[in-house]
């Protein structure tokens, strides 16, 4: 290394940040680091809160959409109607059907409007919201399409589910309560 | 990170950054500002300064962004300061030598000064300097050669006297 080069090295090596500035800068670094971590934690908390909200929202949505009693009842009726399960008892006479479906804990009485509009085909046992129910199948007088009527004793928890109407997978499902009975009518 | 980047303490990194800032700006205040701003920028981004080469690159970028347009004014002010100091015949020889080197380095182009610093003080190879400065090895070698030539022309080591330095400062010796 020449004298000039040595002088250059010596010059630069003599340049030093003084101790006070160095200490201040290192202190500032610690403050910046702390702020950075606080921001990181804040961001992570925000993300965690957002995820929690999404999960809670999702759970709430799924419980209100699929898990609430009315959805379950309407879904049950729709599925039972669409599947056209084999009738346990075939009869076009209501008294005969009522006589053979003797396991029911309610009298098999059909609403006047149903009797007038539809032609009886038969019935089978089923459940509605966990209660023993009758699934009575009819033919519509006008277009011969099948119609299902589900009926069970009206209970306290079922009263809240009355007077609902919804299209479930292409099946129009309606509920009502009359004469102590809870009815669900399903038709395409 | 370059091959020669050994693990340094924060204090060592800061001092190296400060010197590098000096090589670019030829000015104490600007060198302090450069190393401060670059350091804080890297801490904000990485939580620590990952390597000396990254610190240098950040300082360089800041320098290009913030200081280049002020360079002329800074150098002009420095010349005035040197003239006042070196007019005294009573100054110590060693002090004169450093001051003279400082003045001569400030007369070099930024890139020449930077290349000399990185090569002589930091020990980077021409290839490494080229990588750090987005240049080519050939350009760096040429810069180093030219800056050495200039310095040896300006600095007649055998005849170095305070009075000559004063002449240098006053612009009596031209490139």
């Amino acid at each position: 290394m020449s004298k000039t080069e040595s002088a250059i090295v010596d010059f630069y090596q003599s340049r030093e940040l003084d101790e006070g500035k160095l200490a201040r800068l290192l202190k500032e670094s610690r403050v910046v680091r702390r702020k950075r971590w606080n921001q990181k934690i804040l961001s992570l908390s925000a993300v965690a809160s957002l995820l929690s909200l999404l999960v809670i929202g999702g759970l709430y949505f799924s419980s209100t959409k699929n898990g609430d009693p009315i959805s379950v009842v309407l879904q049950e009726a729709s599925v039972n109607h669409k599947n056209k399960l084999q009738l346990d008892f075939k009869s076009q006479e209501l008294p005969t059907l009522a006589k053979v479906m003797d396991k029911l804990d309610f009298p098999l009485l059909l609403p006047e409007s149903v009797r007038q509009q539809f032609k009886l085909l038969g019935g089978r046992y089923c459940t509605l919201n966990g209660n023993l129910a009758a699934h009575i199948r009819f033919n519509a007088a006008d277009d011969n399409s099948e119609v299902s009527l589900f009926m069970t004793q009206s209970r306290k928890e079922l009263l809240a589910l009355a007077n609902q109407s919804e299209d479930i997978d292409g099946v129009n499902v309606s509920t009502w309560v009359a004469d102590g009975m809870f009815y669900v009518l399903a038709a395409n | 990170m370059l091959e020669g980047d050994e693990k340094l303490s924060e204090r060592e990194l800061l001092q190296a950054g400060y010197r590098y800032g000096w090589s670019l700006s030829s000015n104490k205040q600007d060198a302090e500002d450069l190393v401060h701003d670059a350091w804080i920028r890297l801490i904000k981004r990485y939580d620590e300064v990952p390597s000396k080469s990254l610190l240098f690159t950040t300082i360089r970028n800041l320098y290009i962004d913030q200081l280049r347009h002020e360079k002329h004014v800074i150098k002009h002010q420095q010349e005035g300061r040197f003239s006042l100091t070196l007019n005294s015949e009573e100054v110590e020889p060693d002090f004169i030598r450093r001051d003279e080197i400082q003045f001569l380095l400030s007369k070099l182009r930024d890139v020449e000064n930077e290349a000399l610093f990185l090569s002589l003080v930091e020990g980077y190879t021409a290839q490494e300097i080229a990588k750090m400065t987005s240049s080519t090895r050939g350009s760096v070698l040429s810069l180093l050669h030219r800056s050495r030539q200039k310095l040896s022309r300006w600095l007649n080591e055998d005849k170095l006297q305070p009075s000559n330095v004063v002449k240098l400062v006053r612009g009596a010796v031209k490139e």
Side-chain angles (χ1 to χ4, degrees):
Chain A
M1 193 179 274
S2 71
K3 279 175 87 177
T4 312
E5 289 174 343
S6 298
I8 292 170
V9 172
D10 173 69
F11 166 72
Y12 278 116
Q13 281 175 348
S14 71
R15 305 295 99 179
E16 284 200 332
L17 268 177
D18 67 64
E19 196 52 42
K21 285 207 167 60
L22 205 60
R24 274 199 298 279
L25 189 46
L26 289 171
K27 189 178 173 187
E28 193 179 339
S29 305
R30 286 194 289 276
V31 173
V32 170
R33 279 193 187 100
R34 216 172 18 245
K35 274 187 188 166
R36 190 174 176 271
W37 276 103
N38 287 345
Q39 279 174 346
K40 225 176 200 178
I41 289 166
L42 213 65
S43 307
L44 284 173
S45 306
V47 170
S49 305
L50 192 67
L51 283 174
S52 305
L53 275 176
L54 285 173
V55 169
I56 292 167
L59 288 173
Y60 176 76
F61 179 76
S62 76
S63 72
T64 51
K65 192 68 188 169
N66 303 314
D68 68 359
I70 185 66
S71 295
V72 170
V73 168
L74 297 179
Q75 196 79 37
E76 272 181 328
S78 169
V79 168
N80 277 326
H81 173 72
K82 272 172 69 172
N83 284 342
K84 292 186 179 175
L85 297 170
Q86 196 174 358
L87 293 170
D88 296 330
F89 311 100
K90 288 181 183 172
S91 173
Q92 294 185 347
E93 298 298 326
L94 184 63
T96 310
L97 195 61
K99 195 174 174 183
V100 293
M101 292 184 78
D102 57 355
K103 301 283 190 293
L104 298 172
D105 55 356
F106 52 85
L108 199 61
L109 298 172
L110 297 179
E112 188 61 31
S113 58
V114 172
R115 268 189 293 166
Q116 283 178 358
Q117 284 184 71
F118 309 120
K119 186 180 151 194
L120 185 63
L121 294 175
R124 56 184 280 274
Y125 295 113
C126 68
T127 59
L128 267 185
N129 201 35
N131 303 303
L132 181 64
H135 174 186
I136 313 297
R137 206 177 289 160
F138 302 90
N139 257 351
D142 49 1
D143 60 0
N144 217 29
S145 63
E146 285 200 357
V147 175
S148 291
L149 179 75
F150 302 86
M151 55 192 292
T152 186
Q153 266 190 315
S154 180
R155 291 177 172 80
K156 200 176 171 183
E157 74 272 16
L158 290 173
L159 284 174
L161 312 181
N163 304 317
Q164 305 285 334
S165 186
E166 210 170 315
D167 188 292
I168 309 278
D169 301 327
V171 178
N172 190 280
V173 187
S174 307
T175 63
W176 75 95
V177 169
D179 302 319
M181 299 296 295
F182 179 77
Y183 293 99
V184 183
L185 189 71
N188 291 91
Chain B
M1 195 182 284
L2 296 177
E3 274 181 29
D5 257 4
E6 71 274 39
K7 188 75 182 166
L8 297 175
S9 71
E10 288 198 327
R11 282 170 181 269
E12 288 169 325
L13 277 172
L14 278 166
Q15 295 294 10
Y18 174 65
R19 289 179 191 126
Y20 179 57
W22 245 108
S23 79
L24 290 170
S25 64
S26 307
N27 175 285
K28 180 179 185 237
Q29 189 58 52
D30 289 338
E32 283 177 2
D33 290 346
L34 282 170
V35 72
H36 172 274
D37 293 351
W39 186 266
I40 295 300
R41 183 180 284 196
L42 290 172
I43 295 282
K44 276 182 182 168
R45 182 155 187 188
Y46 300 104
D47 201 49
E48 62 175 6
V49 176
S51 66
K52 187 163 71 178
S53 53
L54 186 58
L55 176 64
F56 282 8
T57 304
T58 311
I59 288 172
R60 188 171 205 274
N61 291 341
L62 279 172
Y63 175 70
I64 291 166
D65 289 348
Q66 298 170 7
L67 298 179
R68 179 158 278 169
H69 68 285
E70 297 169 13
K71 189 68 180 173
H72 176 74
V73 178
I74 291 164
K75 282 194 171 178
H76 179 74
Q77 287 168 347
Q78 272 183 336
E79 285 180 22
R81 273 207 307 277
F82 281 109
S83 299
L84 286 172
T85 309
L86 297 175
N87 269 335
S88 166
E89 294 287 334
E90 294 171 5
V91 285
E92 294 288 325
D94 182 52
F95 175 76
I96 294 167
R97 188 162 187 82
R98 275 189 186 161
D99 243 11
E100 184 189 23
I101 285 294
Q102 179 176 352
F103 171 69
L104 294 179
L105 289 173
S106 75
K107 295 275 280 181
L108 287 173
R109 286 163 57 213
D110 300 348
V111 284
E112 292 168 339
N113 214 345
E114 179 188 26
L116 270 182
F117 171 82
L118 292 173
S119 169
L120 293 177
V121 182
E122 289 297 331
Y124 286 116
T125 64
Q127 186 63 52
E128 287 171 332
I129 297 170
K131 193 177 173 187
M132 288 170 74
T133 57
S134 307
S135 182
T136 62
R137 184 173 173 272
S139 301
V140 172
L141 287 171
S142 164
L143 271 177
L144 287 169
H145 177 69
R146 273 206 306 274
S147 53
R148 282 189 175 106
Q149 270 189 331
K150 279 183 188 178
L151 284 174
S152 59
R153 212 181 317 144
W154 291 339
L155 187 66
N156 185 344
E157 289 176 338
D158 295 333
K159 295 175 184 173
L160 180 61
Q161 295 297 325
S163 54
N164 290 345
V165 175
V166 175
K167 281 180 192 169
L168 278 168
V169 172
R170 286 177 175 161
V173 178
K174 299 288 183 191
E175 184 184 341

